[in-house]
């Protein structure tokens, strides 16, 4: 089973492989991805296959059906080739790097929040000027897009000015307390597809939002 921590650690490797144009480099990056999976689930072929399948399902859940299809095709071919050849050794530096990632960050970037005065005007800009197409989700409170690379954008309507704010989640129970003790103060909140986000302000560092 692929844990949330593993999915997070694989995200960049998956996107790097999917969007690589050079066939040679893409093959190398898929092998790198395989090594990351082996570090987490071991060398049993079924475990590796199940892990890769769960990553493909995660892509589908994000609305990236085309990427999921390509990922499944490439990894199935790769696994078939590996049944006829011994698995290559895992580089020691990769082991060290993955061990360093095993400790989850207390705060993790989730998506970009764009606060605007008029949702209809923003929708027109993102659909036509930036060519993002129809929002993946829409409500009277927000517009939500996922890009081809898996990044997310949420546009909400606000009354205090237009601005972009990065949104984070926290893995600790005392995340809000840590923010308050560091000089951050809650200012307002917005509804998003992933839940309510609270915007915090800081006298010198500006704003960011925390997913509740």
């Amino acid at each position: 089973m692929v844990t949330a921590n593993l999915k997070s650690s694989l995200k960049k490797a998956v996107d790097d492989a999917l969007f690589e144009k050079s066939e040679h480099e893409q093959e190398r990056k898929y092998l790198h991805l395989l090594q990351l999976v082996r570090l987490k689930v071991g060398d049993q072929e079924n475990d590796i296959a199940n892990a890769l399948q769960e990553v493909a399902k995660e892509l589908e859940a994000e609305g990236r059906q085309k990427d999921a299809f390509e990922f499944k095709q490439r990894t199935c071919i790769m696994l078939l080739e590996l049944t006829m050849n011994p698995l290559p050794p895992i580089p020691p530096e990769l082991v060290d790097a993955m061990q360093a990632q095993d400790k989850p960050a207390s705060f993790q970037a989730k998506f970009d929040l764009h606060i605007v005065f008029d949702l209809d005007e923003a929708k027109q800009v993102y659909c036509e000027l930036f060519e993002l197409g129809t929002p993946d989700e829409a409500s009277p409170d927000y517009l939500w897009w996922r890009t081809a690379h898996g990044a997310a954008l949420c546009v909400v309507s606000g009354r205090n000015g237009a601005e972009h704010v990065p949104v984070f989640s926290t893995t600790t129970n005392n995340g809000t307390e840590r923010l308050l003790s560091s000089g951050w103060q809650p200012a307002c909140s917005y509804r998003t597809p992933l839940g309510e986000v609270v915007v915090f302000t800081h006298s010198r560092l500006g704003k960011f939002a925390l997913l509740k």
Side-chain angles (χ1 to χ4, degrees), residues 5-17:
N5 190 31
L6 175 54
K7 289 175 182 176
S8 175
S9 65
L10 292 180
K11 185 172 181 57
K12 183 178 186 304
V14 170
D15 284 342
D16 283 349

Side-chain angles (χ1 to χ4, degrees), residues 18 20 26 93 128 147 192 201:
L18 282 169
E20 175 58 55
Q26 190 177 60
E93 60 272 17
E128 299 177 7
T147 70
T192 78
T201 63

Side-chain angles (χ1 to χ4, degrees), residues 131-212:
E131 301 178 350
L132 289 187
T134 304
D136 296 301
E137 292 186 42
S139 81
D141 299 314
Y142 61 75
L143 303 170
W144 175 266
W145 282 272
R146 282 197 177 277
T147 70
H149 294 270
L153 168 71
C154 188
V155 182
V156 297
S157 178
R159 299 178 180 178
N160 299 320
E163 57 191 338
H164 276 90
V165 179
V167 178
F168 288 76
S169 65
T170 180
T171 58
T172 64
N173 294 327
N174 64 339
T176 300
E177 289 78 3
R178 290 177 59 186
L179 292 173
L180 295 175
S181 65
S182 299
W184 294 91
Q185 293 296 323
C188 56
S189 64
Y190 298 95
R191 193 166 72 89
T192 78
L194 298 186
E196 184 182 1
V197 298
V198 178
V199 176
F200 286 80
T201 63
H202 192 283
S203 59
R204 297 182 305 279
L205 301 174
K207 298 180 179 181
F208 91 103
L210 186 66
L211 184 63
K212 294 184 69 175

